[in-house]
Amino acid sequence: MTILCVRFQLPPMHEAALPQLLGMLEEFTPVVEALPPDGALVDLRGAERYFGRGVVELASVIRVRALAHHGVDCVIGAGPGPMLARMALREAGIGATRVVPEDPDAVREFLAEQPVAALPGVGSATARTLCEYGLDVIGKVAAAPLSTLQRLTSARAGRELHEKASGIDRGRVVPNAVSRSLATERPFSRDELDSELHRRALLSATEELGTRLRSLEQVCRTLTLTVRYAERSSTTRSRTLKEPTAHSSALTAVAYRMYEALGLQRARVRAIALRAEGLAPAEQASYQLTFDPVDEKVRRIEAAADRARAKFGPHVIVPGRLAA
């Protein structure tokens, strides 16, 4: 047992605490991979030998330290590899570690009755295709001939699917920086038809993302919009920005364009979500200089508003459209 998958129970808008929590994990091992927006993979092979403790004991120590030093609880899954640790995390509860033993028979037993969609890398389209042929659980996929899986998917995808279903985990933990994305969601109290309320939700979301990005001194390169409908379907669109930014008005303009491009007519919308991706340090970013005094004025007002929000709370200054 060597890999932990940890998900911290961070409150909304508290991604700034994640670097400190990753630093706490690095006290056990330098091999820590951040998983956006609130988790991490931890390779404990060296830590088990160094501390003379098993992975379950180390997981308990990690949980206690996260609570004692940061006031954050966590959910932990453990397995022989990253794939199995991620899958174990889905069955874990707060205060307990879900463990998948290293024994091959135990791994097969754990996977056998799991739905095929639970396998990392299996999307909804692939899962639907497999289910149409009766391969609805991982145990059936593992028992299916490799040639059948390759015919249903592709040569490479079928081979990878067969290996994963058989418990062969070729993944590894790759140390990286902190989370590369920030997300926010605006659910409606009822399925909403009014496009004006959709746009207000977008404005609120981009204002929040911009404030959070600036507080973390980050900029984003890509903005992703997800619209969820009453019948539980959804539409997702991504747009790469002309230049990396944390400027709220720039994010709002892009979000509005993506929304308008969907051409929604009388769509009953249940929720709207935005994700800022491709984060990078603001000090390393550049933006096009302009002779427009309005743009510079807006940026100065934005900086002053951020200082006020930091001192008096996030709702002390909001756009007039939202205040109304």
Side-chain angles (χ1 to χ4, degrees):
M1 195 65 55
T2 58
I3 308 297
L4 292 185
C5 188
V6 184
R7 177 175 296 147
F8 297 105
Q9 303 298 299
L10 290 175
M13 296 181 63
H14 278 69
E15 283 87 351
L18 187 57
Q20 298 177 6
L21 292 165
L22 295 177
M24 180 268 294
L25 294 175
E26 289 172 351
E27 295 176 6
F28 295 86
T29 172
V31 189
V32 176
E33 179 179 348
L35 299 177
D38 56 4
L41 283 172
V42 187
D43 189 335
L44 291 178
R45 281 177 292 184
E48 288 179 287
R49 293 192 296 268
Y50 182 82
F51 292 104
R53 295 177 180 271
V55 68
V56 177
E57 292 179 285
L58 290 173
S60 298
V61 175
I62 288 171
R63 179 176 290 108
V64 170
R65 287 197 180 182
L67 277 169
H69 296 169
H70 305 281
V72 175
D73 206 343
C74 57
V75 180
I76 301 177
M83 180 191 77
L84 293 167
R86 287 172 184 258
M87 296 181 69
L89 179 71
R90 297 179 182 180
E91 299 185 359
I94 296 177
T97 301
R98 177 66 169 95
V99 178
V100 180
E102 292 185 71
D103 179 63
D105 292 334
V107 171
R108 284 192 291 270
E109 182 180 353
F110 170 76
L111 293 174
E113 298 304 320
Q114 298 268 3
V116 68
L119 274 177
V122 175
S124 58
T126 302
R128 186 164 53 250
T129 299
L130 293 171
C131 290
E132 288 173 355
Y133 287 87
L135 304 176
D136 55 339
V137 294
I138 297 176
K140 293 180 181 179
V141 175
L146 174 59
S147 58
T148 299
L149 298 178
Q150 290 179 322
R151 187 165 60 252
L152 293 177
T153 55
S154 66
R156 179 178 178 180
R159 183 171 60 254
E160 292 179 352
L161 181 61
H162 189 266
E163 288 183 350
K164 290 179 179 179
S166 301
I168 300 173
D169 191 352
R170 299 188 185 279
R172 61 191 183 94
V173 181
V174 180
N176 64 355
V178 73
S179 171
R180 291 292 181 179
S181 68
L182 294 177
T184 186
E185 184 172 357
R186 293 295 182 271
F188 295 105
S189 57
R190 60 183 181 183
D191 299 334
E192 189 55 65
L193 293 166
D194 190 345
S195 61
E196 177 60 26
L197 293 181
H198 298 168
R199 293 172 68 87
R200 287 186 63 185
L202 285 172
L203 175 60
S204 172
T206 53
E207 284 289 323
E208 178 189 326
L209 284 180
T211 302
R212 290 160 67 184
L213 285 167
R214 294 189 297 275
S215 69
L216 295 171
E217 298 182 351
Q218 299 276 304
V219 293
C220 73
R221 293 186 175 87
T222 304
L223 196 62
T224 298
L225 167 67
T226 301
V227 180
R228 298 187 175 89
Y229 306 106
E231 69 276 14
R232 299 183 182 276
S233 65
S234 63
T235 302
T236 300
R237 294 290 185 272
S238 293
R239 184 74 58 87
T240 300
L241 308 179
K242 291 182 178 180
E243 58 186 23
T245 187
H247 193 23
S248 293
S249 62
L251 297 175
T252 302
V254 174
Y256 280 172
R257 287 197 295 270
M258 285 194 291
Y259 171 79
E260 291 164 1
L262 293 178
L264 301 182
Q265 296 181 354
R266 305 295 295 171
R268 294 186 299 154
V269 176
R270 182 159 295 178
I272 291 177
L274 279 177
R275 178 176 292 277
E277 299 176 310
L279 304 193
E283 62 182 12
Q284 298 178 10
S286 59
Y287 69 94
Q288 180 65 46
L289 296 177
T290 175
F291 292 106
D292 183 2
V294 175
D295 182 70
E296 287 300 319
K297 183 178 180 180
V298 169
R299 290 179 185 270
R300 290 197 298 270
I301 292 174
E302 192 174 68
D306 287 343
R307 291 193 294 270
R309 293 187 185 108
K311 186 173 183 179
F312 299 107
H315 302 298
V316 67
I317 297 178
V318 296
R321 190 173 186 179
L322 298 180

